[in-house]
Amino acid sequence: MNRTIGAAGILILLAVFIGVHTAEIHTLSRDIAEICDDIEDAMETDDWNLICTLTDKLGKRWDKSRFWASMTIKTDKTEEIEISIRQSNQYAHLHAKEDFAGEFCMLRHMAEHLKKQEGLAAEELL
Amino acid sequence: MIITVLRTVIMYIFVVIVLRIMGKRQIGELEASELVVTIIISEIAALPITDTGVPLSGCILAILILLIMEIFISQAAYKSVLVRTVLYGKPSTFYKNGRLNQAEMEKQRFNVADLMEEIRNSGAVSLNQVDYIVMETNGKVSVVLNAESNPLTPSDMNVRPKPLYMNYIIIDNGNLITQNMKRFGLNEEWLYAQLKENGIKRINDVFYLSFEESTGNVVIIPKNGKNKKRGASK
């Protein structure tokens, strides 16, 4: 019976952990999506100063939740996102619009996929 | 490289703890569901060790889920006959009252050579010496010898042998097991008296010291020494 109580205790702890982790990843994904929307708006007006500021913000926001993200996402995937953020930031500083647009598009897709990976989608399950 | 070393140490400790929590069944005779859990755990545990890109926490989480499921399911099987039957199945009787159940043998893919092997393992040589042959739910085959083939026991001869008493370890390779001393109300004074009688000064010099319940017999084996055996009073 003690073992069952212990297992129930672990189950509760796991449920809390999974809940906190999922919430953290969803918040990260949402914040990144918001920043990306702002970057897209800034791209339309070619406001590179704002784009640089926003890509910096994007990097800081990612760093804030990096610990939680790397708990369930493979290291190569997290590194891919980090490289993409840095590369976007560099292109923004160089005002290389075409290169930035390509890199940014990939970054956005990867960030959007984060939520799917942590969510309960049938495609991910299967 | 140091990450691999650390991950290996963490996973080793973690898996040992998990198997200890799962209980003795997990390291003894396994039922089908227990075997599956054990195999999956070993596979999952190996993943983050061999591939440092795989998150350790994800694997720990998966193992913990398996641990919880195994504990809940085994608890349910302990309480419910239905759950037990669904999960572990029923024993298969291959031989009973002189009749061989060939259909059951075919179902379990248990051939005649297997049957004879199990008969020989039980100490018999033919089916004539056997009453029952049953395959248990964990895959182990029990062979029950008939009355004529069973070894003679003291009760057959109307003899009452002296009962055997459990021996408890008091010193294990220089380590004092205080729990066993307390069990019989033994104290350090008694212990040092035993050591002194055997010419031993320190507990650390004793390899083995046991105390027999009821008779109070003590067996002392010094480290790198000769076995000294004697009876002692409490």
Side-chain angles (χ1 to χ4, degrees):
Chain A
M1 190 51 89
N2 285 344
R3 197 169 284 165
T4 314
I5 293 166
I10 296 171
L11 182 65
I12 292 165
L13 286 174
L14 278 185
V16 171
F17 170 75
I18 292 168
V20 171
H21 182 265
T22 309
E24 194 67 36
I25 295 297
H26 276 253
T27 313
L28 170 71
S29 185
R30 193 192 60 215
D31 289 351
I32 286 181
E34 276 173 15
I35 298 168
C36 286
D37 286 342
D38 293 342
I39 290 173
E40 271 180 10
D41 291 341
M43 274 172 73
E44 280 172 19
T45 55
D46 275 343
D47 188 348
W48 288 102
N49 286 334
L50 182 59
I51 291 171
C52 287
T53 314
L54 288 170
T55 50
D56 285 339
K57 194 179 165 187
L58 195 66
K60 280 175 188 161
R61 181 62 191 90
W62 170 261
D63 287 342
K64 200 180 155 191
S65 297
R66 188 181 190 276
F67 174 78
W68 289 99
S70 56
M71 270 190 166
T72 45
I73 300 164
K74 278 190 164 188
T75 311
D76 51 358
K77 287 242 173 101
T78 54
E79 276 173 0
E80 232 175 275
I81 294 171
E82 279 164 15
I83 290 166
S84 190
I85 291 171
R86 279 186 200 171
Q87 215 160 330
S88 301
N89 191 260
Q90 286 295 314
Y91 286 142
H93 280 282
L94 292 169
H95 297 192
K97 193 173 181 177
E98 282 178 9
D99 292 326
F100 177 80
E103 193 62 46
F104 177 70
C105 183
M106 196 175 79
L107 173 65
R108 180 145 207 187
H109 277 289
M110 282 194 291
E112 276 171 5
H113 188 72
L114 271 180
K115 201 164 70 178
K116 282 184 189 166
Q117 197 165 312
E118 294 301 318
L120 195 67
E123 305 91 71
E124 300 299 327
L125 185 69
L126 298 170
Chain B
M1 193 60 91
I2 192 76
I3 288 292
T4 308
V5 174
L6 286 173
R7 279 179 169 223
T8 309
V9 172
I10 291 168
M11 283 316 279
Y12 171 76
I13 295 168
F14 180 69
V15 172
V16 168
I17 291 170
V18 165
L19 289 178
R20 283 285 292 119
I21 295 171
M22 278 188 181
K24 289 187 177 70
R25 282 182 67 95
Q26 219 63 28
I27 42 179
E29 299 289 343
L30 300 178
E31 297 288 351
S33 71
E34 293 162 342
L35 179 70
V36 168
V37 168
T38 311
I39 291 170
I40 296 176
I41 284 181
S42 62
E43 284 288 326
I44 296 172
L47 273 176
I49 294 172
T50 49
D51 183 358
T52 49
V54 176
L56 190 68
S57 49
C59 296
I60 288 176
L61 186 101
I63 292 175
L64 284 177
I65 300 282
L66 287 170
L67 164 75
I68 292 164
M69 279 175 64
E70 177 55 32
I71 288 174
F72 283 153
I73 286 172
S74 57
Q75 186 68 25
Y78 175 73
K79 301 229 171 183
S80 159
V81 177
L82 180 71
V83 175
R84 205 179 309 154
T85 310
V86 170
L87 278 176
Y88 307 146
K90 283 182 178 174
S92 303
T93 306
F94 296 145
Y95 185 76
K96 186 183 171 185
N97 300 331
R99 289 190 67 186
L100 204 58
N101 188 344
Q102 292 181 35
E104 193 60 37
M105 282 177 70
E106 192 177 349
K107 197 174 156 191
Q108 301 299 336
R109 297 175 301 282
F110 192 81
N111 58 42
V112 175
D114 295 331
L115 188 81
M116 291 313 294
E117 191 180 318
E118 293 298 339
I119 289 171
R120 287 193 296 273
N121 282 339
S122 69
V125 286
S126 96
L127 276 173
N128 294 332
Q129 294 174 278
V130 170
D131 269 348
Y132 298 95
I133 300 175
V134 180
M135 182 181 264
E136 309 295 351
T137 54
N138 59 12
K140 202 177 164 188
V141 177
S142 304
V143 179
V144 182
L145 299 176
N146 58 27
E148 296 87 57
S149 306
N150 259 322
L152 208 58
T153 61
S155 62
D156 294 331
M157 304 288 290
N158 287 326
V159 175
R160 280 193 170 183
K162 283 182 185 174
L164 288 170
Y165 296 103
M166 187 67 92
N167 260 272
Y168 290 88
I169 306 293
I170 304 294
I171 298 175
D172 176 353
N173 199 10
N175 298 303
L176 187 63
I177 317 288
T178 48
Q179 201 182 346
N180 286 346
M181 280 185 74
K182 280 179 191 165
R183 189 194 296 237
F184 301 108
L186 307 173
N187 52 27
E188 285 204 2
E189 200 181 324
W190 170 88
L191 182 67
Y192 279 103
Q194 303 301 321
L195 298 186
K196 198 178 172 185
E197 277 181 38
N198 287 275
I200 301 167
K201 286 179 183 172
R202 297 178 307 150
I203 291 172
N204 203 30
D205 295 335
V206 180
F207 182 72
Y208 173 94
L209 191 151
S210 70
F211 180 81
E212 193 179 286
E213 189 183 4
S214 166
T215 62
N217 280 344
V218 172
V219 177
I220 298 180
I221 302 172
K223 276 186 184 170
N224 298 322
K226 208 178 169 184
N227 186 2
K228 295 184 180 179
K229 215 175 189 181
R230 63 177 190 82
S233 57
K234 274 179 87 175

